[in-house]
Amino acid sequence: MLSRPVSGDREHRVTLKPIAGLQRELILQTHDPSSDLVSHKLHSERQWEPFETELWLASQRAGDFVVDVGANLGYFSILSALHSRQAAHVVAVEPAADNLALLQQNLMLNDCQRNVEIAPIALGDHEGEGALYRNENNRGDHQIYPGDGDRAKESITVRNGTELLSPMMMRIDLLKVDTQGSEYAVMTGLLPLLQKSGPGLRILLELTPYSLRLAKSSGRELLTLIADLGLSLWIVDHIEHRLVASDAQALCEWSDNVDATSGDRGFMNIYAGTAPADLSQ
């Protein structure tokens, strides 16, 4: 079931630095920045992942079908909704009740509640009820598997992505997946729809071998699934602000090496698809 946004109060509100390519400034209502990592960073720096932001905006084309899986406060969804190259449809997927409340408020704050549809669920490779294992110090780090530490649980609904999205879009053009280890399950559920999307598909995705292993998959499985879509693979270098061309074999070897090192929680962001021509290098 899809929900629509509601209004909220003014607590913990921050206006971000101007972002090129948006129709207006971006305002976010956050969790308490003294007790949440993402919110603290937003308030202290007034920006979020500058190169990933630039990459996301450069990747969007007019008329795109955009899906933001693990939307959290709605940052990437709002970027798409306020983009000067207007998307055809933006869907924000977020299961956590407290994140959802802020996501709804942020859509209202940025006057894009009519341009973003909220799916208040988690995506996976099946349909049913599940649990969200919460990280109260970083509400961008909730996960849908038990993991290796004590976490409070929240009941959620899990949906197969193709079943959920096919009635509203014939393809996905731009996809972000950041789900703290359940990326393989998300991509498996989306696979039939992704296969229909063709070579124009662009994906921004977090690759964390440690978390994927805890979720009973692996970086190698995830990378193989993406490579089988026939898309070019790039490492997102957020230090040098560039895309670094790579391939499935090299990335699988990196993932295997991380997995073989006890306690290594290394991660990287991966971009799949044709690099945007107007991305500054």
Side-chain angles (χ1 to χ4, degrees), residues 207 209 219-220 223-224 227 233-235 244-258 268 270:
L207 170 64
R220 178 171 285 273
L223 290 161
T224 300
L233 290 169
W234 310 80
I235 297 168
V244 179
S246 190
D247 56 48
Q249 180 178 346
L251 291 171
C252 283
E253 289 175 359
W254 174 85
S255 180
D256 291 345
N257 288 336
V258 171
M268 65 172 70
I270 299 296

Side-chain angles (χ1 to χ4, degrees), residues 1 95 120-132 144 154-161 163-164:
M1 185 176 194
I121 49 87
L123 289 191
D125 56 4
H126 66 284
E127 304 248 328
E129 300 306 306
L132 188 71
I144 64 170
E154 175 183 337
S155 296
I156 59 169
T157 298
V158 180
R159 293 290 312 274
N160 175 288
E163 293 295 324
L164 174 73

Side-chain angles (χ1 to χ4, degrees), residues 181-203:
S182 59
E183 287 83 4
Y184 180 72
V186 170
M187 293 293 286
T188 299
L190 286 170
L191 189 57
L193 186 55
L194 298 179
Q195 289 169 332
K196 293 179 181 178
S197 298
L201 173 63
R202 289 138 276 143
I203 304 171

Side-chain angles (χ1 to χ4, degrees), residues 65-258:
F65 290 92
V66 180
V67 180
D68 178 8
V69 185
N72 198 346
L73 305 179
Y75 178 76
F76 284 93
S77 295
I78 294 169
L79 289 180
S80 284
L82 296 182
H83 202 304
S84 57
R85 294 193 290 266
Q86 190 171 8
H89 199 164
V90 181
V91 177
V93 181
E94 174 57 47
D98 53 352
N99 288 344
L100 275 168
L102 292 177
L103 169 59
Q104 292 171 330
Q105 293 170 27
N106 286 330
L107 295 183
M108 293 288 289
L109 276 174
N110 293 282
D111 195 27
C112 56
Q113 66 273 21
R114 291 171 297 278
N115 305 106
V116 178
E117 200 150 15
I118 298 176
I121 49 87
L123 289 191
D125 56 4
H126 66 284
E127 304 248 328
E129 300 306 306
L132 188 71
Y133 296 82
R134 298 175 52 83
N135 182 341
E136 302 301 342
N137 298 314
N138 179 2
R139 292 173 179 85
D141 187 46
H142 301 332
Q143 56 197 40
I144 64 170
Y145 55 91
D148 59 355
D150 292 332
R151 293 187 178 214
K153 290 194 296 185
E154 175 183 337
S155 296
I156 59 169
T157 298
V158 180
R159 293 290 312 274
N160 175 288
T162 297
E163 293 295 324
L164 174 73
L165 296 170
S166 288
M168 65 184 81
M169 56 182 67
M170 67 191 80
R171 66 181 189 275
I172 298 175
D173 298 303
L174 185 58
L175 170 67
K176 190 212 87 184
V177 184
D178 184 356
T179 56
Q180 306 307 111
S182 59
E183 287 83 4
Y184 180 72
V186 170
M187 293 293 286
T188 299
L190 286 170
L191 189 57
L193 186 55
L194 298 179
Q195 289 169 332
K196 293 179 181 178
S197 298
L201 173 63
R202 289 138 276 143
I203 304 171
L204 179 62
L205 177 141
E206 185 175 89
L207 170 64
T208 310
Y210 177 84
S211 298
L212 287 159
R213 177 159 43 85
L214 290 179
K216 311 301 182 187
S217 61
S218 70
R220 178 171 285 273
E221 285 184 300
L222 177 60
L223 290 161
T224 300
L225 183 154
I226 296 171
D228 286 346
L229 292 170
L231 303 175
S232 300
L233 290 169
W234 310 80
I235 297 168
V236 179
D237 185 343
H238 66 274
I239 303 298
E240 298 293 334
H241 284 207
R242 62 192 182 116
L243 290 179
V244 179
S246 190
D247 56 48
Q249 180 178 346
L251 291 171
C252 283
E253 289 175 359
W254 174 85
S255 180
D256 291 345
N257 288 336
V258 171

